[in-house]
Amino acid sequence: MNVLINAGPTRESIDPVRFISNRSTGKMGYAIAEAALKLGHAVTLVSGPVSLAAPEGLARFVRIESAAEMAEAMKQAMPGADLIVLCAAVADYRPVVCSSSKIKKGEGRLILELERTEDIALSLGKRKRAGQILVGFAAETDDLESNALRKMREKNFDWIAANEVGKPGRGFASDNNALTLYAADGRRFNLELKPKKVLAGELLSLILNPL
Ligand code: C5P
């Protein structure tokens, strides 16, 4: 099976030395890539800037910085993929202009104008063909289940893995996580707090070997 995964944050440039980003470390996406490799799948990993080493044995490893570059790489790789897992924490907004020279500080406030980036999941959901499995993630601080189910519907996901962020010992930057995995057909699975590497294997086996 050809598996396409995105992971990590994106960086949206303000000027040549500054950017807007988030706390994603890529650990969950890289763990899923490793679990898919162990199962013998051909894995393409599209990654934002993270400090993790690329797993050994990838079919393709694409490093990107911005949401626009991530969108381009994912659209290019999507047609050949059987399973697509969207783990990346794509920035929702980027500066309207990226200054070509370093912005000098002044006395008063500086106002940055931001515009929406492309919702990559939404774009891929529209392009999904029969037989492709599209899996999204939802990190929420409130109303986890209703938000996750709405995102799955809006973005045409087959599965969504929802995790609560802001709780200690899990989520962003942690080695552990707890997830609820929802299927578009109504099934749900609770995966208790455990190492992301273990969680990744369980998630793939639920998605690939439905009961
Ligand atoms: O809407 P929200 O960002 O919470 O949805 C999360 C899901 O959408 C994740 O799978 C994430 O990778 C994806 N996403 C995306 N492009 C964006 C924002 C989110 O692909 N611009």
Side-chain angles (χ1 to χ4, degrees):
M1 189 176 252
N2 289 317
V3 181
L4 171 63
I5 301 166
N6 69 9
T10 66
R11 287 180 179 172
E12 310 304 324
S13 291
I14 296 169
D15 70 15
V17 296
R18 304 184 179 98
F19 55 79
I20 296 174
S21 192
N22 59 65
R23 297 186 196 282
S24 170
T25 57
K27 282 180 185 167
M28 193 67 229
Y30 276 58
I32 293 174
E34 275 164 20
L37 285 167
K38 260 194 204 146
L39 291 170
H41 299 299
V43 180
T44 296
L45 178 60
V46 178
S47 176
V50 296
S51 57
L52 302 170
E56 285 205 11
L58 289 173
R60 256 185 94 208
F61 181 59
V62 187
R63 268 197 172 280
I64 57 83
E65 282 234 339
S66 65
E69 288 166 7
M70 171 82 78
E72 180 66 34
M74 292 300 288
K75 285 179 194 165
Q76 201 238 315
M78 186 186 186
D82 305 299
L83 170 66
I84 303 141
V85 185
L86 304 175
C87 244
V90 183
D92 291 322
Y93 292 91
R94 66 172 173 216
V96 174
V97 285
C98 170
S99 169
S100 57
S101 51
K102 188 181 168 196
I103 298 171
K104 294 280 176 216
K105 62 174 161 299
E107 286 305 315
R109 291 180 179 177
L110 172 71
I111 296 173
L112 267 184
E113 197 179 352
L114 306 179
E115 65 186 6
R116 283 291 307 268
T117 55
E118 178 174 351
D119 188 321
I120 300 167
L122 191 71
S123 302
L124 298 188
K126 287 182 183 151
R127 289 159 186 245
K128 189 174 69 171
R129 56 168 169 77
Q132 282 183 314
I133 308 170
L134 187 59
V135 184
F137 272 71
E140 303 287 345
T141 51
D142 308 286
D143 300 326
L144 184 63
E145 177 164 315
S146 58
N147 278 315
L149 294 178
R150 179 180 47 79
K151 278 175 195 176
M152 176 158 60
R153 215 173 32 245
E154 283 173 2
K155 303 190 190 203
N156 200 18
F157 292 156
D158 300 286
W159 296 84
I160 193 159
N163 64 306
E164 244 175 289
V165 289
K167 279 197 177 176
R170 62 188 70 187
F172 277 168
S174 174
D175 286 328
N176 299 311
N177 206 2
L179 293 173
T180 306
L181 185 63
Y182 300 91
D185 64 13
R187 286 171 299 148
R188 61 177 285 173
F189 304 92
N190 273 317
L191 303 177
E192 303 297 333
L193 189 64
K194 59 191 87 180
K196 285 179 178 173
K197 290 187 182 206
V198 179
L199 208 57
E202 292 183 5
L203 189 116
L204 281 185
S205 64
L206 283 167
I207 289 170
L208 296 176
N209 314 303
L211 300 172

